[in-house]
Amino acid sequence: MPQTATQPPLEIAVFPMLSDNYGFLIHDPASAKTAAIDPAEAAPVLAACAAHGWQLTHILNTHHHGDHVGGNLDLKAKTGCAIVGPAYDRARIPGIDVAVDEASGADFGSRHAEVFFVPGHTRGHIAYYFARDKALFCGDTLFALGCGRLFEGTPAQMWSSLLKLRALPDDTRVYCAHEYTQSNARFALSAEPENAALAAQAEEVARLRAAGQFTIPSTLAVEKACNPFLRADQPDLRRRFGGAGMTDADVLGAIRAAKDRF
Ligand code: ZN
Ligand code: FE
């Protein structure tokens, strides 16, 4: 079905899973299809579907880690949903039916998501971007005020992945897979203490968490202004973490290493 201006927007539900993961449901009213993004486990996904009266038809996986695919096989057995995941890592995605990459994108109901290949956290990590709905599902690549650990990739890979996401519009909503924002804010403030926008955002995050509220989604406007991992090419961060002859990717690597020790 072609996308039209009169299409109703995607409905997006956010709910917690495990200790600090987020589950997301996206529902396309035009086709009555519903996808779970990165289901760590089946039960909270099914409960969220029931609460909204939605039937699960798809799973979209960003990468192979257990806290992102743990619910795949159980949900497929219970609902018959189709599992979409990164072609590069198809062998590590349980139950995968549709392997996608940047060239294919990902079809979901009346929508077509752009797929970004964003290795760094893992070698095959992808992100899903619904342009008309201004929604980015970026797994463990970009976090609110942070980025994923470099388990399988290099700083250069992660930097080029982050630049792809940074190129999206400011009003993009960033649905990342973990509630790490408050601890990320503490590190970000140590990395860039002169950043007034970051100081204000850290206060907002503290207020939300004290009220028991989610900090997700963030927006790319906030992340571009406040997230040190998206700002490795900014002078203050280069001065603090860089050295002679270091590339922006090297600075990103130094910031990530400092966060690992923080
Ligand atoms: Zn992960
Ligand atoms: Fe994770």
Side-chain angles (χ1 to χ4, degrees):
M1 196 189 305
Q3 296 188 19
T4 68
T6 56
Q7 258 180 325
L10 288 178
E11 296 172 38
I12 301 176
V14 182
F15 52 95
M17 293 185 295
L18 304 179
S19 60
D20 55 32
N21 277 76
Y22 279 121
F24 306 114
L25 289 179
I26 58 176
H27 179 72
D28 173 30
S31 64
K33 303 260 193 264
T34 302
I37 316 288
D38 282 353
E41 43 185 356
V45 172
L46 293 171
C49 284
H52 288 88
W54 298 340
Q55 296 286 331
L56 191 72
T57 56
H58 293 74
I59 288 171
L60 306 182
N61 290 131
T62 63
H63 67 296
H64 74 285
H65 283 157
D67 61 317
H68 298 256
V69 303
N72 275 23
L73 295 179
D74 202 6
L75 287 168
K76 187 172 182 175
K78 289 191 165 101
T79 68
C81 65
I83 298 178
V84 181
Y88 191 89
D89 252 341
R90 68 199 337 143
R92 299 197 290 181
I93 304 294
I96 190 169
D97 298 296
V98 183
V100 298
D101 57 22
E102 289 190 341
S104 69
D107 289 317
F108 165 65
S110 68
R111 296 299 203 276
H112 183 79
E114 289 177 45
V115 167
F116 295 108
F117 185 56
V118 286
H121 177 68
T122 68
R123 68 185 186 200
H125 201 302
I126 60 173
Y128 299 90
Y129 173 56
F130 292 87
R132 236 171 49 75
D133 298 279
K134 304 178 186 300
L136 173 69
F137 296 92
C138 50
D140 289 354
T141 295
L142 174 66
F143 290 127
L145 303 181
C147 81
R149 280 179 186 264
L150 299 180
F151 288 124
E152 299 180 353
T154 63
Q157 285 175 317
M158 183 57 108
W159 180 239
S160 95
S161 296
L162 291 173
L163 287 179
K164 288 182 188 177
L165 304 183
R166 194 175 76 172
L168 296 173
D170 279 358
D171 58 356
T172 303
R173 291 172 292 169
V174 178
Y175 291 90
C176 58
H178 289 272
E179 180 61 66
Y180 292 158
T181 316
Q182 203 159 15
S183 73
N184 286 342
R186 282 192 282 276
F187 172 74
L189 284 167
S190 80
E192 212 180 2
E194 59 285 322
N195 184 332
L198 169 60
Q201 182 62 19
E203 280 186 26
E204 170 66 5
V205 166
R207 189 190 65 74
L208 287 170
R209 295 310 290 155
Q213 295 184 302
F214 304 156
T215 65
I216 306 306
S218 181
T219 67
L220 261 187
V222 165
E223 298 311 313
K224 289 176 193 179
C226 303
N227 186 325
F229 300 97
L230 285 188
R231 297 168 57 78
D233 53 355
Q234 296 299 306
D236 284 336
L237 284 158
R238 171 169 278 277
R239 203 172 303 122
R240 191 160 287 115
F241 293 94
M246 283 173 68
T247 64
D248 293 339
D250 293 334
V251 178
L252 182 274
I255 300 170
R256 182 61 255 182
K259 173 70 162 67
D260 290 344
R261 296 188 303 266
F262 187 71

